[in-house]
Amino acid sequence: MLYIGKEMQDRMNILGLTAAEVAEKAFMEKETIDTIIQNKIALEEIDEFDMSLICSILHCKPEYFADANMKEKDLLMASMNRGLDNKISMEVKARIQDFMTDFAFIKDILLEMGEVYS
């Protein structure tokens, strides 16, 4: 069983989010978020839809918590300790990462449809 409490708390800290804020944005109970953070529930036991909402708020994919390679490719993690960061700069970096993910998704769809753009 894989427990993600520390990684989730670290991600929340990077983004300046509290458990209450994540819970509110994910339409979940704060106690549920606390349960995950306290490693009382394993990743495999978290509802897939709930995890997708949490990941959306934390600007990552569920694989981020299980795959070290995903963490290495993460823009927020890669940019840590490079100048002064605050909640606003981390939010901007998170949005840039979201844009890059969305762009890659759209590009893949276009390639599948035979549309090639460079």
Side-chain angles (χ1 to χ4, degrees), residues 15-29:
L15 294 167
L17 296 170
T18 66
E21 291 170 325
V22 172
E24 180 181 340
K25 291 178 180 185
F27 307 105
M28 299 171 70
E29 297 294 325

Side-chain angles (χ1 to χ4, degrees), residues 78-92:
S79 67
M80 293 298 294
N81 300 321
R82 292 188 180 175
L84 297 175
D85 281 319
N86 58 33
K87 187 173 182 173
I88 294 171
S89 68
M90 295 309 284
E91 181 65 27
V92 168

Side-chain angles (χ1 to χ4, degrees), residues 41-54:
I41 183 171
L43 177 61
E44 299 85 2
E45 298 170 338
I46 302 170
D47 179 77
E48 188 176 330
F49 181 73
D50 288 345
M51 193 63 199
S52 69
L53 290 173
I54 291 168

Side-chain angles (χ1 to χ4, degrees), residues 27-116:
F27 307 105
M28 299 171 70
E29 297 294 325
K30 181 184 177 293
E31 292 75 23
T32 304
I33 301 299
D34 288 337
T35 300
I36 297 169
I37 292 170
Q38 296 165 2
N39 289 329
K40 293 181 180 177
I41 183 171
L43 177 61
E44 299 85 2
E45 298 170 338
I46 302 170
D47 179 77
E48 188 176 330
F49 181 73
D50 288 345
M51 193 63 199
S52 69
L53 290 173
I54 291 168
C55 288
S56 176
I57 293 157
L58 297 180
H59 303 282
C60 63
K61 294 181 179 181
E63 296 83 16
Y64 170 85
F65 296 103
D67 185 355
N69 289 330
M70 287 292 290
K71 285 183 188 167
E72 288 179 18
K73 295 177 184 177
D74 184 73
L75 179 66
L76 293 179
M77 295 302 292
S79 67
M80 293 298 294
N81 300 321
R82 292 188 180 175
L84 297 175
D85 281 319
N86 58 33
K87 187 173 182 173
I88 294 171
S89 68
M90 295 309 284
E91 181 65 27
V92 168
K93 291 175 186 178
R95 289 183 183 191
I96 290 170
Q97 179 168 292
D98 291 345
F99 172 79
M100 291 175 2
T101 301
D102 293 345
F103 181 76
F105 175 73
I106 291 169
K107 188 173 179 182
D108 288 345
I109 290 174
L110 292 174
L111 286 172
E112 286 179 16
M113 293 174 49
E115 303 285 332
V116 181

